[in-house]
Amino acid sequence: MNLTAIAIIAIICWTIVKLTSKDKKAVKQEPVQDQQKNELQQQIHTMQERIAVLEALVTDEKYALKREFENLSRNRAA
């Protein structure tokens, strides 16, 4: 074998090793990413529930009526 062939084989082997080691790292990181994804989805779900409660409070007729009374009392005071 000449020196060029040895260099080419070494480069090919090095590339194969690097490619396979990246796949192993990606597999190790997937559970962490899945866990983060699940946590974020849970937080979004919780926030959606809280927003729904706040919307119900603000759109309630009693809340609107109370705000109107507060505005009227402020106008009288001024």
Side-chain angles (χ1 to χ4, degrees):
M1 278 185 150
N2 61 18
L3 189 58
T4 306
I6 294 172
I8 292 172
I9 292 173
I11 292 171
I12 291 171
C13 291
W14 178 76
T15 304
I16 292 171
V17 168
K18 287 295 182 179
L19 290 175
T20 57
S21 67
K22 285 183 183 178
D23 291 339
K24 290 179 183 177
K25 289 179 184 177
V27 170
K28 289 179 183 176
Q29 291 176 354
E30 285 179 14
V32 173
Q33 291 174 352
D34 288 341
Q35 182 182 4
Q36 288 175 344
K37 181 180 175 183
N38 291 337
E39 289 174 2
L40 291 174
Q41 286 176 339
Q42 181 63 31
Q43 287 178 355
I44 289 172
H45 180 70
T46 303
M47 287 181 183
Q48 287 174 335
E49 289 176 349
R50 294 177 74 181
I51 289 171
V53 169
L54 291 173
E55 287 175 344
L57 290 172
V58 171
T59 57
D60 185 33
E61 291 179 18
K62 292 178 183 177
Y63 179 81
L65 187 60
K66 184 177 177 182
R67 295 287 288 180
E68 287 181 29
F69 281 130
E70 287 177 2
N71 288 338
L72 288 173
S73 65
R74 286 182 191 158
N75 289 338
R76 286 187 198 167

